[in-house]
Amino acid sequence: DFYFCRQTPEGQLIVVGDVSGKGLRAAMLASVALGAIRNSARWSPGPLMQDLNAALHGQTGGGFVTCCAALLRNDGQLIVSNAGHPAPYVDGGEFAVEAGLPLGIIADADYAESTGQAEGVTLVSDGVVEAENAQRELFGFERTREISIKSAQEIADAAKAWGQNDDITVVTVRS
């Protein structure tokens, strides 16, 4: 998993991603993704995803990267683009956003943007919703939604306590 946050003139940019696979190859892909984000001249989530996709295409060795980018503008407008990643949670509910194709699969993929108003946004990796307890019950989307207004630390701790079996990344931003 990886995340990136930056204050832009328009507002707070938040990006959370998950690289398929493990080990050195996955770590290198995460580095490529973070470098592409840092070097992108475009901060709107859809165009940023296109830049990320272009940087990752041909580099994944058959893998892929899921990613969600959100720009919480200073006026409370939220702009989100998604590439096969869990949707963000906004003010206690799941934000409706097109799932999009994971990054690095098709060179010229387009990434739609969804907009809305938000006071707070929470982005999680699949390690939260896929946490599994001893009875093999997933933490799931409903539990994640129920605690999505809590701090990032509280959400991560709840998923870990449930039964962590993957990387857990949680980023919460409030306007």
Side-chain angles (χ1 to χ4, degrees):
D1 293 358
F2 64 89
Y3 72 95
F4 178 88
C5 297
R6 175 174 284 166
Q7 186 66 40
T8 74
E10 294 183 31
Q12 183 69 42
L13 174 70
I14 314 105
V15 181
V16 172
D18 189 0
V19 177
S20 66
K22 304 242 183 266
L24 184 58
R25 178 177 289 282
M28 294 303 292
L29 280 176
S31 293
V32 170
L34 287 167
I37 295 167
R38 284 187 186 99
N39 291 320
S40 178
R42 305 189 295 175
W43 296 109
S44 188
L48 176 61
M49 288 294 207
Q50 289 172 332
D51 290 350
L52 276 168
N53 187 60
L56 291 166
H57 186 260
Q59 305 298 314
T60 63
F64 58 89
V65 177
T66 67
C67 192
C68 187
L71 178 63
L72 183 55
R73 293 173 47 110
N74 298 326
D75 64 2
Q77 181 187 38
L78 180 67
I79 305 168
V80 177
S81 186
N82 197 355
H85 200 76
Y89 294 87
V90 173
D91 303 330
E94 191 172 336
F95 189 73
V97 61
E98 186 178 319
L101 191 64
L103 302 168
I105 296 174
I106 295 176
D108 58 353
D110 287 322
Y111 294 94
E113 291 183 334
S114 298
T115 61
Q117 289 295 120
E119 290 184 24
V121 60
T122 299
L123 282 79
V124 302
S125 66
D126 63 350
V128 173
V129 295
E130 293 176 0
E132 187 177 344
N133 66 14
Q135 292 75 39
R136 301 194 56 114
E137 182 181 15
L138 295 178
F139 192 78
F141 290 101
E142 183 64 24
R143 282 185 192 84
T144 304
R145 184 194 57 75
E146 288 172 1
I147 66 169
S148 66
I149 59 171
K150 296 191 179 280
S151 73
Q153 187 65 56
E154 290 174 295
I155 296 167
D157 288 347
K160 286 179 195 174
W162 190 262
Q164 180 178 1
N165 58 17
D166 195 4
D167 299 333
I168 292 176
T169 301
V170 182
V171 179
T172 301
V173 175
R174 304 276 179 238
S175 58

